[in-house]
Amino acid sequence: ILQMGLIPLHLYSDIPWVPYRDTMKGIIFQSHQRSILATARQLDAMPDHQLQQIQANIVNLLQSHFTFRGVLQQIELFMKHGRGDLRCQELPITTRAEQRPNEFFCYASGTMKR
């Protein structure tokens, strides 16, 4: 979707779970599944120039974050230097994932970190 220049809508049931959590705030719409109607109203009322700015933000991040080479570069920055736009995130407490104290999921490695 991003590589096509389209703006994604991420629906979630517990917490937003997206890569590049901080960076994605400027290029993705997120909504808890219970709030989808309110989100749809917000999107409908959004001015065209704001949507165009979001699409421009997507284009600016496309090569560095959403291509094979860009993803590998982000993983390298995270794993070797502790930099880049990947973040560890506390696991949610849900029926699908029981959380243990001080456990985090790291997007870059796909492993649990303590």
Side-chain angles (χ1 to χ4, degrees):
I1 289 176
L2 289 165
Q3 290 182 340
M4 293 170 39
L6 302 175
I7 303 170
L9 170 59
H10 175 238
L11 293 176
Y12 56 91
S13 60
D14 45 21
I15 62 169
W17 197 262
V18 295
Y20 313 120
R21 156 179 94 223
D22 300 330
T23 305
M24 294 294 269
K25 290 178 184 172
I27 64 171
I28 188 173
F29 296 112
Q30 299 181 75
S31 176
H32 190 279
Q33 62 189 17
R34 292 186 196 116
S35 304
I36 186 62
L37 293 177
T39 302
R41 286 190 288 274
Q42 286 178 316
L43 294 176
D44 190 46
M46 189 170 286
D48 287 345
H49 73 276
Q50 193 171 354
L51 292 170
Q52 291 168 348
Q53 181 59 53
I54 294 169
Q55 287 177 314
N57 293 343
I58 291 170
V59 169
N60 288 335
L61 291 171
L62 203 57
Q63 294 300 313
S64 62
H65 290 72
F66 303 107
T67 62
F68 184 74
R69 182 175 292 201
V71 170
L72 289 179
Q73 182 179 12
Q74 290 295 322
I75 292 170
E76 180 180 9
L77 286 169
F78 181 81
M79 299 298 283
K80 287 186 173 179
H81 309 289
R83 296 191 337 249
D85 290 327
L86 293 169
R87 302 286 179 266
C88 291
Q89 180 171 330
E90 218 173 320
L91 288 173
I93 299 174
T94 67
T95 57
R96 292 177 297 200
E98 290 184 30
Q99 183 179 11
R100 297 178 197 98
N102 301 319
E103 271 194 349
F104 296 85
F105 181 80
C106 291
Y107 294 117
S109 62
T111 61
M112 303 291 258
K113 299 266 181 166
R114 286 189 189 262

